[in-house]
Amino acid sequence: MKYVILSVILLTAAATKGQQKKSIVIEKPLITTPYELKTRPWFSDEQLITTGVYYYPEHWDSLQWERDIKNIADMGFEFVHYAEFAWAQLEPEEGKYTFGWLDRVVELAARYNLKVIMCTSTATPPVWLVRKHPDVLITGEYGHRDDHGSRQHASFSSNYYRSYSLTMIEELARRYGDNEQIIGWQLDNEPRACYDYGDDAQQRFRDWLKQKYGTINNLNKAWGTSFWSQLYNDFSQINIPLRSRWGMNLHQRMDHNRFVAHETASFLDSQAQTIRKYAGHRQWITTNYIPNYNEGYIGASRDLDFITYTKYMVAGSAQGIGHKGYRLGNALSIAMSNDFFRPLSPTYGVMELQPGQVNWGRVNPQPLPGVVRMWLWHVFAGGSELACTYRFRAPIYGFEQYHYGIVGYDGVTPTPGGLEYKQFIEEVKSLREHAKPGAPVPLHYAALKTGLLFNVENSWAMEMNKQNFQWNTLGHFEKYYGPLKAFGAPVDFIRDTFDFSAYPVIIAPAYQQIDRDLINKMIQYVRKGGNLVLTCRTGHQDRQGHLWEAPFAQPIYDLIGAEIEFYDLLMPQASDTVIMGKKGYEWVTWGEILKPRAGTETWAVYSGDFYAGKPAVTLHRLGNGTVTYVGVDTKTGELERTVLKKLYTLLNLPVQDYPPGVMVEYRDGLGIAVNYSDKAYRLPLPEGTRILIGDQNMPTAGVTVWKHAD
Ligand code: GAL
C-alpha cells in the first residue's frame, strides 16, 4: 500500500516562499474513500503482492485436475481462481445444485497450499433460465433480443435475472462462506454498463427517476422539457432514451447513464450482501472492472471490500512507442489504472493480466519477450496487493481458442509469458526480506504528489455534446497525466468529495459541471497554499448540465482571476497557434479567450486570428496558493506540458525529466522503474544505491528495483 505525506502542502507553501523545507512527515493512509473504512488487512504487508491464476476445472478431464493444480503451485502461484462462468455446472437444473466438482478442486487447492478466489458465475446464466424467462435477455434499443450461446447476455435490470442470480449465489455462499481455503470472492465478470430496453428496465428507470425527482415538474425542469415540446405529465410516460437517435434530450441521456451505473452497482451490492450473510468479514468481496474511465459504476458499489481491474495490453490496437511499440502496449495504461483505482480503493490489484497472445483483438500479436514481467512490476509499482493472470491453460475449444495461458495447449508446457510470471513470483519472494512495508516514500517523490480531479459526469456531458468532433475527453486528460508521469510525480485520480489538502497541486481538466460549494472548496484549498490548475471547458454548467444564466462560466471568474470573453473552435484545415515564451503550439479543438483581472499573469497568448494577442493561459495568485487557467487544448499536448513544467518549477517542486515510456514509482521502501520506450535508458540513481533487480541501464521492457535511502 502506498502512503501519502500529510504535510506536503505546508512543504510546498514554504518552498514557494523560498523558505527552508520542513523535514517532519506524518504518515497516513490515503484519503477517505468508499472502501477505506471496510479495508481490513486482507493481504499481509510483508507479502508485498500475492500472485494467482484463473483455472476452469470444468473445461478439463477431472483426471488432470490434480496435475494442473500441483503445477500451478510448483510455479509459485499463491492462489487460484474458480467458478467463473460455471453456473450451468453449479445449477444444471433449476434448484438442483452440484457442488461436488468444486469441493474437489477446493480440496486440491488446500492440498497444494493454494488459496482460492471464488467467483459468482452470473455472467453466464444457464440455458434453462433463459428459455424459461426469455425476458432476462438484454433487449436492444430497436427491440432485438440477445440469445444464449455467448456470455453477458442477461440484463442487470431484469428482475428474474437478479432474483435467480441471488438464489444461486446464496447456495454458493452457504457452501463456501466459512471455508478457510477461500480468501475472497469476485462478483460477476467485468461488470459493465448494461443498456437494456426491456420492460423491467423501462419500469426500473421510471422508478429511479421518481425516487430522484419526487414530482414530474421537478423532472421537467431538470430535463428542460419546455424545449421541443417534450413536457411529461407523469413518470409512466417516460421511456429510456434511444442512444443512436439524433437530438435526444441530453439531460434524459445523462440520467439514463446514471441509472445504468446504478443498476450495475446495486446488482453487485445485492450479490455482496448475499455472500456476507454466510461469509461475514472472514472472506473479502471484490469485482474486476475493465478500467473504462467513461463509466459511472466503478467505485459505486459500496458493499465491496475493494475493487480490482483487468488489463489486456497487446491486442493490436495500442500503438506504443516506436515501430514495434504495439508489442508493449500503451505506456500510460497500467499507470493510469493504478492511479485511478488506488485512490478509490487503497487495497486494490489486477484481477486479469494478459499472459501472452489473446484471440479477440483485430490483430493478436506476440507481446515482446520480457514485457509480461514488466507489466507485472508496473502493476506492483502502483501499490497493488494482488496480481492474477488470465488463465492457466490455453483453451482448445470455445470462443477463446488461440488465447495463450500460463501453459500451452498440451496443458503442461509453460508459455514464455508463463515463465515470466514464474520469474516475477520468484523475484517478489526474494524481495520480501528487503522491503520495508509501509515505509514513507522519498521526499522528492512525495513533494510532487498531484491530484487529478475526475468526475465521469463531465466526460458524459462533453462526449454527448462535443461542439467540436475533434474534442477527445480522455485525450485531454492524458495531455496532463502524461507529463506528470514524465516528471516522476505520484498521481491520484481524486473525486471532489475527497480531502484536497494532501496534494500540493490539483489539476481539474475540463471540469465542465460545477457548483458553488466546489468553487468555495477550491478557493479554500488555494488560499491555504494549494495550487490548482483548471483547463478549458471548466465550470460552464451547473450539476444539472444547464449553462449558467450569467456571463459564460462566470462563477469561476473570482477563482481564476480572469473573465472568459468567448470560446472558439477551429476547422481541422485551419489550425492556429498559441505562443508561450518564444514557441508556438498548434490548436484546433477548444480555445477560451481570457480577460485577466488586475494582478493575474498572462503566460500564453493566441496568435493568427481576430483575437491575436489575447491570453490563453493565466496564473492567479490567491492567498498562499495559485490558480493556473489553461484555456486551450493543443494538438500535441506540448503546451500543456510546458505550462506544468513552468508551474512546478515556480513552486520549487523537484521534477524529473523521464523520456516517454519510462516511469518510476516508490512503495514499501523500494523504487521501481519500468521502460516502455524503444530505446535503452540509463536511470539516474544516487551514488551507492543498492539495486535489487535489474540494472541501471534499462533495456526496452526492462525493470529496475532498488532500495531507496531516505
Ligand atoms: C477478459 C474477460 C475474460 C476473458 C479474457 C480473454 O476481458 O474478462 O473473461 O474473456 O478477456 O482475454
Side-chain angles (χ1 to χ4, degrees):
M1 184 187 304
K2 279 192 166 182
Y3 287 81
V4 292
I5 310 269
L6 253 194
S7 52
V8 190
I9 270 206
L10 302 175
L11 292 176
T12 322
T16 326
K17 295 195 168 78
Q19 298 165 11
Q20 185 91 51
K21 284 191 183 184
K22 289 193 201 165
S23 57
I24 309 156
V25 289
I26 309 162
E27 283 173 52
K28 190 181 178 291
L30 286 155
I31 47 250
T32 307
T33 79
Y35 304 112
E36 186 182 23
L37 295 176
K38 299 199 191 70
T39 301
R40 307 275 189 287
W42 299 117
F43 302 98
S44 93
D45 285 350
E46 285 66 35
Q47 245 186 341
L48 299 178
I49 191 167
T50 180
T51 310
V53 63
Y54 280 61
Y55 183 63
Y56 295 91
E58 66 276 23
H59 296 179
W60 309 107
D61 187 330
S62 57
L63 293 175
Q64 298 174 344
W65 291 350
E66 179 155 10
R67 177 200 71 188
D68 289 348
I69 288 164
K70 178 173 183 307
N71 284 345
I72 290 173
D74 286 348
M75 287 185 84
F77 288 103
E78 294 171 320
F79 65 85
V80 65
H81 181 294
Y82 290 149
E84 198 190 38
F85 310 133
W87 192 342
Q89 287 87 349
L90 291 170
E91 192 184 2
E93 288 169 42
E94 183 173 350
K96 189 175 154 224
Y97 294 93
T98 45
F99 291 120
W101 63 275
L102 196 49
D103 289 348
R104 262 197 69 202
V105 287
V106 171
E107 280 160 26
L108 284 172
R111 188 172 310 158
Y112 291 96
N113 208 13
L114 290 163
K115 294 290 183 193
V116 173
I117 296 180
M118 195 59 90
C119 194
T120 59
S121 273
T122 43
T124 46
V127 71
W128 57 259
L129 168 55
V130 172
R131 295 293 176 249
K132 184 172 178 191
H133 297 291
D135 52 340
V136 301
L137 294 166
I138 294 170
T139 302
E141 63 181 310
Y142 294 109
H144 68 272
R145 264 198 183 152
D146 268 354
D147 200 2
H148 189 78
S150 176
R151 68 175 179 190
Q152 293 165 306
H153 43 292
S155 167
F156 292 166
S157 295
S158 154
N159 296 327
Y160 273 127
Y161 172 62
R162 282 187 172 231
S163 81
Y164 274 92
S165 294
L166 297 184
T167 305
M168 178 270 291
I169 290 168
E170 179 134 14
E171 291 307 314
L172 203 56
R174 203 196 307 276
R175 185 87 172 188
Y176 298 108
D178 61 0
N179 187 314
E180 285 187 359
Q181 210 54 34
I182 292 159
I183 42 174
W185 296 74
Q186 178 209 300
L187 310 181
D188 201 74
N189 172 56
E190 291 186 332
R192 71 226 177 277
C194 183
Y195 296 100
D196 175 32
Y197 289 75
D199 291 345
D200 284 357
Q202 299 282 7
Q203 190 53 45
R204 290 170 73 97
F205 182 47
R206 292 175 197 126
D207 294 344
W208 183 87
L209 290 169
K210 193 158 187 193
Q211 174 91 15
K212 174 167 180 179
Y213 290 107
T215 70
I216 198 69
N217 278 348
N218 289 341
L219 176 140
N220 277 319
K221 243 172 129 181
W223 284 12
T225 54
S226 306
F227 194 78
W228 286 354
S229 192
Q230 290 171 7
L231 288 162
Y232 292 98
N233 310 108
D234 190 86
F235 286 95
S236 63
Q237 297 166 326
I238 297 172
N239 278 347
I240 292 174
L242 299 173
R243 284 166 66 77
S244 58
R245 175 71 171 82
W246 178 88
M248 288 303 286
N249 184 310
L250 293 173
H251 312 286
Q252 182 183 3
R253 287 183 57 194
M254 284 288 285
D255 264 339
H256 185 240
N257 280 354
R258 295 181 182 110
F259 164 75
V260 159
H262 165 82
E263 290 293 85
T264 303
S266 66
F267 181 44
L268 296 177
D269 276 339
S270 307
Q271 292 200 18
Q273 288 152 15
T274 307
I275 293 169
R276 194 81 73 205
K277 285 200 264 173
Y278 301 92
H281 287 277
R282 293 182 299 273
Q283 298 164 343
W284 45 256
I285 302 175
T286 190
T287 191
N288 61 340
Y289 296 112
I290 299 174
N292 187 340
Y293 307 110
N294 203 24
E295 301 291 0
Y297 47 75
I298 299 180
S301 288
R302 300 195 160 246
D303 288 304
L304 307 185
D305 290 299
F306 58 86
I307 58 180
T308 69
Y309 66 83
T310 65
K311 187 60 67 178
Y312 291 85
M313 295 289 286
V314 172
S317 52
Q319 289 301 312
I321 296 169
H323 184 51
K324 297 275 178 161
Y326 62 81
R327 292 203 193 285
L328 294 95
N330 175 350
L332 292 180
S333 178
I334 290 177
M336 196 145 144
S337 299
N338 288 338
D339 294 345
F340 189 91
F341 278 67
R342 185 193 52 250
L344 281 176
S345 178
T347 294
Y348 81 103
V350 64
M351 192 58 90
E352 293 177 27
L353 183 72
Q354 177 178 9
Q357 264 168 308
V358 297
N359 69 299
W360 43 262
R362 286 189 313 141
V363 180
N364 298 294
Q366 285 282 352
L368 191 76
V371 80
V372 170
R373 166 177 168 264
M374 185 185 76
W375 295 333
L376 278 160
W377 277 110
H378 201 184
V379 163
F380 172 80
S384 304
E385 296 189 59
L386 90 161
C388 185
T389 183
Y390 197 84
R391 49 196 287 157
F392 185 63
R393 290 186 64 172
I396 54 174
Y397 58 84
F399 184 76
E400 287 173 353
Q401 277 184 329
Y402 297 101
H403 193 295
Y404 265 44
I406 291 296
V407 294
Y409 306 120
D410 65 2
V412 290
T413 309
T415 56
L419 292 174
E420 290 180 33
Y421 264 88
K422 185 166 181 279
Q423 183 183 351
F424 171 76
I425 295 168
E426 283 162 6
E427 287 170 339
V428 167
K429 287 181 182 165
S430 80
L431 277 189
R432 285 179 181 161
E433 64 188 81
H434 295 286
K436 284 194 266 163
V441 296
L443 274 180
H444 70 84
Y445 177 74
L448 291 170
K449 191 159 188 71
T450 303
L452 266 184
L453 199 59
F454 177 82
N455 181 346
V456 71
E457 301 205 354
N458 291 318
S459 313
W460 290 341
M462 288 184 286
E463 285 295 315
M464 63 176 72
N465 195 6
K466 284 189 172 203
Q467 302 300 318
N468 183 342
F469 79 93
Q470 297 161 101
W471 175 263
N472 171 348
T473 305
L474 199 57
H476 181 71
F477 250 83
E478 284 177 355
K479 287 171 190 163
Y480 293 89
Y481 182 70
L484 292 173
K485 295 323 279 185
F487 293 172
V491 180
D492 283 348
F493 280 76
I494 60 172
R495 309 291 162 120
D496 58 26
T497 48
F498 284 15
D499 176 8
F500 288 175
S501 70
Y503 301 92
V505 183
I506 291 179
I507 305 177
Y511 212 81
Q512 184 162 284
Q513 301 189 348
I514 209 158
D515 56 40
R516 307 263 174 199
D517 285 348
L518 178 55
I519 294 171
N520 287 335
K521 183 171 173 176
M522 287 173 167
I523 290 176
Q524 292 315 314
Y525 162 74
V526 176
R527 283 194 180 286
K528 287 190 188 139
N531 299 284
L532 184 65
V533 179
L534 298 177
T535 82
C536 61
R537 302 195 81 151
T538 289
H540 300 173
Q541 301 183 350
D542 66 17
R543 300 279 194 178
Q544 286 191 328
H546 295 198
L547 295 167
W548 303 100
E549 197 170 348
F552 187 70
Q554 186 260 357
I556 63 169
Y557 290 178
D558 287 347
L559 179 62
I560 67 174
E563 291 167 20
I564 300 176
E565 283 193 38
F566 59 92
Y567 61 89
D568 198 12
L569 319 167
L570 305 182
M571 296 295 284
Q573 75 280 11
S575 66
D576 253 313
T577 306
V578 165
I579 310 283
M580 180 163 172
K582 289 195 174 58
K583 229 177 136 187
Y585 304 87
E586 198 185 350
W587 74 280
V588 283
T589 37
W590 195 284
E592 283 162 12
I593 287 70
L594 308 177
K595 191 172 161 197
R597 291 181 176 161
T600 298
E601 293 172 23
T602 294
W603 279 14
V605 296
Y606 292 97
S607 76
D609 214 316
F610 65 91
Y611 41 82
K614 296 213 173 182
V617 181
T618 55
L619 178 101
H620 177 215
R621 291 173 197 276
L622 183 65
N624 289 327
T626 61
V627 184
T628 308
Y629 194 80
V630 188
V632 67
D633 175 70
T634 67
K635 264 201 166 160
T636 63
E638 196 52 38
L639 173 87
E640 287 83 338
R641 183 189 173 109
T642 308
V643 169
L644 289 185
K645 186 81 184 275
K646 178 167 172 172
L647 176 69
Y648 280 60
T649 309
L650 177 81
L651 300 173
N652 280 328
L653 297 175
V655 293
Q656 308 290 323
D657 195 14
Y658 298 123
V662 171
M663 271 161 284
V664 176
E665 308 280 359
Y666 293 86
R667 63 172 283 185
D668 299 318
L670 304 168
I672 305 106
V674 291
N675 183 8
Y676 287 80
S677 145
D678 56 348
K679 296 181 187 61
Y681 179 67
R682 187 170 170 81
L683 196 63
L685 288 174
E687 202 58 26
T689 300
R690 180 151 171 232
I691 293 184
L692 303 170
I693 290 174
D695 193 80
Q696 193 164 6
N697 292 317
M698 301 182 70
T700 298
V703 174
T704 307
V705 182
W706 65 97
K707 226 174 167 160
H708 73 78
D710 49 353

XYZ file of all heavy atoms in Angstrom, residues 343-392:
398
model
N -6.713 5.412 -5.388
C -7.335 6.419 -4.526
C -8.770 6.067 -4.117
O -9.219 6.445 -3.054
C -7.327 7.683 -5.392
C -6.265 7.445 -6.403
C -6.278 5.977 -6.675
N -9.454 5.325 -4.985
C -10.808 4.899 -4.630
C -10.764 3.777 -3.619
O -11.646 3.624 -2.790
C -11.527 4.361 -5.873
C -12.093 5.355 -6.862
C -12.665 4.602 -8.055
C -13.193 6.173 -6.196
N -9.736 2.953 -3.727
C -9.710 1.692 -3.011
C -8.263 1.375 -2.629
O -7.541 0.753 -3.404
C -10.267 0.619 -3.972
O -10.247 -0.643 -3.412
N -7.856 1.822 -1.446
C -6.440 1.665 -1.083
C -5.931 0.222 -1.213
O -4.770 0.007 -1.525
C -6.393 2.138 0.361
C -7.548 3.071 0.487
C -8.618 2.534 -0.414
N -6.796 -0.755 -0.955
C -6.439 -2.122 -1.321
C -7.008 -2.342 -2.714
O -8.184 -2.106 -2.948
C -7.093 -3.136 -0.368
O -6.538 -2.949 0.916
C -6.877 -4.566 -0.830
N -6.178 -2.747 -3.635
C -6.666 -2.992 -4.990
C -5.660 -3.892 -5.683
O -4.626 -4.250 -5.103
C -6.840 -1.658 -5.761
C -5.543 -1.135 -6.315
C -5.230 -1.272 -7.666
C -4.587 -0.575 -5.476
C -4.015 -0.838 -8.164
C -3.370 -0.141 -5.967
C -3.094 -0.275 -7.309
O -1.882 0.129 -7.787
N -5.947 -4.265 -6.898
C -4.997 -5.095 -7.633
C -5.486 -5.335 -9.038
O -6.491 -4.766 -9.471
N -4.757 -6.180 -9.755
C -5.181 -6.537 -11.107
C -5.725 -7.963 -11.046
O -5.075 -8.860 -10.520
C -4.029 -6.394 -12.133
C -2.883 -7.343 -11.875
C -4.525 -6.566 -13.555
N -6.941 -8.151 -11.525
C -7.547 -9.489 -11.433
C -7.273 -10.312 -12.685
O -7.256 -11.526 -12.644
C -9.047 -9.349 -11.177
C -9.741 -10.633 -10.786
S -9.045 -11.406 -9.297
C -10.044 -10.639 -8.037
N -7.085 -9.638 -13.822
C -6.720 -10.375 -15.038
C -5.610 -9.588 -15.702
O -5.782 -8.403 -15.982
C -7.885 -10.422 -16.036
C -9.061 -11.215 -15.580
C -10.217 -11.147 -16.601
O -9.968 -10.951 -17.802
O -11.356 -11.282 -16.166
N -4.506 -10.259 -15.951
C -3.426 -9.618 -16.707
C -2.973 -10.613 -17.757
O -2.633 -11.755 -17.448
C -2.280 -9.230 -15.771
C -1.126 -8.494 -16.429
C -1.514 -7.065 -16.799
C 0.076 -8.440 -15.490
N -2.975 -10.160 -18.968
C -2.652 -10.968 -20.144
C -1.315 -11.708 -19.971
O -0.301 -11.076 -19.679
C -2.567 -9.978 -21.297
C -2.191 -10.485 -22.626
C -2.221 -9.316 -23.633
O -2.366 -8.154 -23.252
N -2.071 -9.641 -24.896
N -1.310 -13.028 -20.191
C -0.041 -13.748 -20.091
C 0.673 -13.899 -21.425
O 1.805 -14.356 -21.488
C -0.480 -15.131 -19.594
C -1.828 -15.319 -20.206
C -2.451 -13.944 -20.346
N 0.000 -13.554 -22.522
C 0.584 -13.748 -23.858
C -0.437 -13.302 -24.887
O -1.284 -12.455 -24.592
N -0.363 -13.903 -26.074
C -1.304 -13.521 -27.130
C -2.763 -13.697 -26.694
O -3.084 -14.674 -26.015
C -1.105 -14.444 -28.328
C -0.213 -13.879 -29.388
C 0.163 -14.940 -30.396
O 0.631 -16.009 -30.036
N -0.024 -14.636 -31.649
N -3.647 -12.809 -27.155
C -5.073 -13.028 -26.956
C -5.700 -13.385 -28.296
O -4.994 -13.523 -29.306
C -5.759 -11.794 -26.309
C -5.193 -11.530 -24.933
C -5.640 -10.553 -27.193
N -7.025 -13.564 -28.308
C -7.671 -14.022 -29.542
C -8.687 -13.031 -30.094
O -9.212 -13.215 -31.173
C -8.403 -15.334 -29.284
C -9.604 -15.119 -28.375
O -9.456 -14.686 -27.228
N -10.783 -15.375 -28.874
N -8.987 -11.992 -29.321
C -10.154 -11.171 -29.677
C -9.802 -9.804 -30.265
O -10.695 -9.027 -30.590
C -11.066 -10.998 -28.461
C -10.308 -10.708 -27.201
C -9.970 -11.618 -26.237
C -9.741 -9.460 -26.782
N -9.243 -11.011 -25.231
C -9.094 -9.683 -25.544
C -9.720 -8.170 -27.311
C -8.425 -8.679 -24.849
C -9.055 -7.170 -26.620
C -8.426 -7.430 -25.399
N -8.503 -9.511 -30.418
C -8.114 -8.215 -30.990
C -8.282 -8.232 -32.498
O -8.529 -9.285 -33.096
N -8.141 -7.090 -33.121
C -8.195 -7.049 -34.594
C -6.984 -7.780 -35.151
O -7.030 -8.463 -36.155
C -8.216 -5.605 -35.079
C -9.560 -4.939 -34.835
C -9.626 -3.600 -35.507
N -8.420 -2.835 -35.232
C -7.803 -2.072 -36.116
N -8.251 -2.003 -37.333
N -6.728 -1.390 -35.788
N -5.849 -7.598 -34.472
C -4.641 -8.377 -34.736
C -4.186 -8.823 -33.353
O -4.311 -8.065 -32.406
C -3.547 -7.490 -35.362
C -2.288 -8.293 -35.642
C -4.050 -6.797 -36.615
N -3.693 -10.043 -33.254
C -3.298 -10.526 -31.928
C -1.815 -10.882 -31.898
O -1.441 -12.054 -31.970
C -4.146 -11.747 -31.548
C -5.618 -11.392 -31.458
O -6.008 -10.613 -30.588
N -6.426 -11.913 -32.358
N -0.953 -9.859 -31.802
C 0.487 -10.122 -31.890
C 1.043 -10.752 -30.625
O 0.404 -10.734 -29.570
C 1.093 -8.724 -32.064
C -0.015 -7.744 -31.953
C -1.245 -8.453 -31.533
N 2.249 -11.277 -30.749
C 3.004 -11.733 -29.573
C 3.466 -10.500 -28.794
O 4.009 -9.564 -29.391
C 4.272 -12.481 -30.034
C 4.036 -13.855 -30.567
C 3.817 -14.872 -29.457
O 3.993 -14.579 -28.270
N 3.415 -16.063 -29.843
N 3.301 -10.501 -27.479
C 3.943 -9.442 -26.689
C 5.462 -9.593 -26.772
O 5.975 -10.696 -27.012
C 3.454 -9.707 -25.266
C 2.259 -10.598 -25.409
C 2.475 -11.395 -26.663
N 6.160 -8.495 -26.580
C 7.623 -8.538 -26.621
C 8.150 -9.419 -25.484
O 7.676 -9.301 -24.348
C 8.171 -7.114 -26.438
C 9.664 -6.965 -26.713
C 9.930 -6.986 -28.209
C 10.178 -5.643 -26.122
N 9.130 -10.300 -25.760
C 9.689 -11.089 -24.654
C 10.106 -10.171 -23.505
O 10.750 -9.138 -23.730
C 10.892 -11.779 -25.296
C 10.512 -11.902 -26.739
C 9.705 -10.656 -27.052
N 9.705 -10.500 -22.320
C 10.067 -9.711 -21.132
C 8.990 -8.731 -20.695
O 8.976 -8.266 -19.561
N 8.043 -8.433 -21.607
C 7.115 -7.352 -21.259
C 6.042 -7.801 -20.263
O 5.544 -7.006 -19.474
C 6.501 -6.724 -22.531
C 5.366 -7.543 -23.109
C 6.038 -5.306 -22.231
N 5.709 -9.090 -20.282
C 4.704 -9.569 -19.316
C 5.233 -9.336 -17.892
O 4.524 -8.840 -17.009
C 4.376 -11.063 -19.566
C 3.529 -11.633 -18.435
C 3.663 -11.234 -20.909
N 6.492 -9.659 -17.714
C 7.115 -9.423 -16.395
C 7.136 -7.925 -16.079
O 6.856 -7.521 -14.947
C 8.534 -9.994 -16.405
C 9.390 -9.529 -15.246
C 10.756 -10.200 -15.302
N 11.712 -9.612 -14.396
C 12.607 -8.675 -14.728
N 12.648 -8.205 -15.981
N 13.453 -8.216 -13.836
N 7.428 -7.104 -17.089
C 7.461 -5.662 -16.817
C 6.069 -5.143 -16.432
O 5.930 -4.339 -15.514
C 7.990 -4.879 -18.013
C 8.136 -3.393 -17.683
S 8.607 -2.371 -19.081
C 7.083 -2.270 -19.978
N 5.026 -5.626 -17.133
C 3.668 -5.200 -16.755
C 3.408 -5.540 -15.282
O 2.832 -4.751 -14.545
C 2.611 -5.913 -17.602
C 2.620 -5.584 -19.070
C 3.051 -4.430 -19.657
C 2.170 -6.435 -20.133
N 2.874 -4.506 -21.016
C 2.340 -5.709 -21.341
C 1.629 -7.714 -20.198
C 1.985 -6.249 -22.579
C 1.274 -8.252 -21.415
C 1.463 -7.525 -22.606
N 3.824 -6.765 -14.900
C 3.591 -7.179 -13.502
C 4.283 -6.230 -12.529
O 3.708 -5.821 -11.514
C 4.097 -8.606 -13.292
C 3.126 -9.695 -13.745
C 3.857 -11.017 -13.962
C 2.003 -9.862 -12.737
N 5.525 -5.858 -12.854
C 6.234 -4.931 -11.978
C 5.577 -3.561 -11.973
O 5.581 -2.850 -10.963
C 7.712 -4.836 -12.369
C 8.484 -5.967 -11.768
C 9.048 -7.028 -12.424
C 8.734 -6.177 -10.369
N 9.634 -7.880 -11.524
C 9.453 -7.376 -10.253
C 8.408 -5.472 -9.209
C 9.867 -7.890 -9.021
C 8.803 -5.977 -7.989
C 9.524 -7.177 -7.906
N 4.997 -3.206 -13.101
C 4.324 -1.910 -13.168
C 3.047 -1.933 -12.317
O 2.722 -0.965 -11.627
C 4.012 -1.574 -14.629
C 3.793 -0.117 -14.876
N 3.434 0.390 -16.089
C 3.863 0.952 -14.039
C 3.310 1.707 -16.001
N 3.555 2.067 -14.763
N 2.346 -3.053 -12.372
C 1.176 -3.233 -11.502
C 1.609 -3.089 -10.038
O 0.999 -2.367 -9.240
C 0.553 -4.636 -11.752
C -0.384 -5.030 -10.620
C -0.162 -4.663 -13.099
N 2.690 -3.758 -9.702
C 3.210 -3.710 -8.330
C 3.587 -2.271 -7.945
O 3.267 -1.794 -6.845
C 4.440 -4.621 -8.233
C 5.176 -4.506 -6.929
C 4.717 -5.171 -5.807
C 6.316 -3.722 -6.825
C 5.387 -5.050 -4.587
C 6.987 -3.597 -5.612
C 6.523 -4.267 -4.494
N 4.255 -1.571 -8.873
C 4.794 -0.241 -8.576
C 3.714 0.722 -8.106
O 3.947 1.589 -7.268
C 5.483 0.328 -9.818
N 2.494 0.547 -8.637
C 1.418 1.473 -8.281
C 0.853 1.246 -6.895
O 0.074 2.055 -6.407
N 1.197 0.124 -6.265
C 0.697 -0.144 -4.925
C -0.235 -1.344 -4.835
O -0.800 -1.621 -3.772
N -0.419 -2.078 -5.928
C -1.347 -3.219 -5.931
C -0.947 -4.275 -4.917
O 0.239 -4.482 -4.666
C -1.350 -3.883 -7.310
O -1.655 -2.947 -8.293
N -1.952 -4.962 -4.403
C -1.671 -6.021 -3.431
C -1.952 -7.411 -3.978
O -1.630 -8.398 -3.327
C -2.475 -5.779 -2.158
C -2.006 -4.483 -1.510
C -2.571 -4.255 -0.138
O -2.356 -5.093 0.738
O -3.242 -3.232 0.032
N -2.610 -7.476 -5.133
C -2.723 -8.794 -5.748
C -2.607 -8.678 -7.264
O -2.961 -7.648 -7.846
C -4.007 -9.518 -5.336
C -5.278 -9.363 -6.147
C -6.226 -10.505 -5.834
C -5.951 -8.059 -5.817
N -2.070 -9.738 -7.849
C -1.959 -9.819 -9.305
C -2.418 -11.205 -9.701
O -1.970 -12.202 -9.134
C -0.514 -9.594 -9.747
N -3.339 -11.246 -10.634
C -3.875 -12.542 -11.036
C -3.846 -12.590 -12.552
O -4.117 -11.587 -13.215
C -5.302 -12.661 -10.511
S -6.066 -14.251 -10.810
N -3.515 -13.732 -13.117
C -3.413 -13.798 -14.568
C -4.530 -14.625 -15.170
O -5.059 -15.540 -14.556
C -2.048 -14.335 -15.034
O -2.007 -14.298 -16.467
C -1.786 -15.738 -14.548
N -4.873 -14.225 -16.393
C -5.920 -14.904 -17.124
C -5.293 -15.751 -18.219
O -4.911 -15.219 -19.229
C -6.886 -13.902 -17.755
C -8.159 -14.568 -18.146
C -9.155 -14.754 -17.207
C -8.323 -15.097 -19.414
C -10.301 -15.433 -17.534
C -9.474 -15.777 -19.737
C -10.458 -15.932 -18.800
O -11.587 -16.620 -19.114
N -5.136 -16.919 -18.129
C -5.649 -18.030 -17.397
C -4.589 -19.098 -17.354
O -3.560 -18.945 -18.017
C -6.889 -18.537 -18.078
C -6.578 -18.695 -19.595
C -7.781 -18.832 -20.450
N -8.371 -20.135 -20.279
C -9.654 -20.388 -20.558
N -10.432 -19.416 -21.040
N -10.139 -21.562 -20.407
N -4.758 -20.201 -16.628
C -3.678 -21.179 -16.536
C -3.517 -21.945 -17.854
O -2.455 -21.954 -18.451
C -3.914 -22.143 -15.371
C -2.759 -23.086 -15.173
C -1.500 -22.585 -14.836
C -2.896 -24.450 -15.372
C -0.407 -23.431 -14.696
C -1.803 -25.298 -15.227
C -0.565 -24.786 -14.891
